[in-house]
Amino acid sequence: MRITIRRTIRAALAMVEAIARSVVSHTFRLLADLYRAVDAGAAVEIAYVKADGTESRRVIEPAELAATSTGHITVRGHDRLRGEDRTFRIDRIVGHRLAEVG
């Protein structure tokens, strides 16, 4: 019985560690790509989940990354869909790809 519990706990911890590595890896890749886009003047296509849970796809031209007073990291840039500058929380960006340079 003890061995089974230990194996179960060990497996659960390994799964949590793998998930944490994946989330951290996604965040680091996203931040690196956003910084590259700011430097290169590139557009980024993002899949964004709004506060109400609905997902949208946007193409943004990132201008600045910042931290809010509540600890969230945001990217501010021109949203081509809305035609105006918008701010997006990076923890709500669930997918992205560099779109173009220029």
Side-chain angles (χ1 to χ4, degrees), residues 2 5 17 20 32 34 48-51 55 57 60 74 77 83 95 98-101:
R2 268 182 149 176
I5 292 171
E17 288 174 7
L34 289 171
Y48 189 76
V49 177
K50 295 189 278 187
E55 186 173 319
R57 292 211 171 267
I60 62 171
T74 61
L98 293 175
E100 62 197 50
V101 174

Side-chain angles (χ1 to χ4, degrees), residues 64-87:
E64 169 182 64
L65 283 104
T68 67
S69 61
T70 58
H72 293 106
I73 300 172
T74 61
V75 57
R76 184 185 57 76
H78 184 74
D79 178 354
R80 291 183 180 173
L81 179 67
R82 300 279 185 213
E84 59 188 25
D85 285 351
R86 302 293 290 256
T87 300

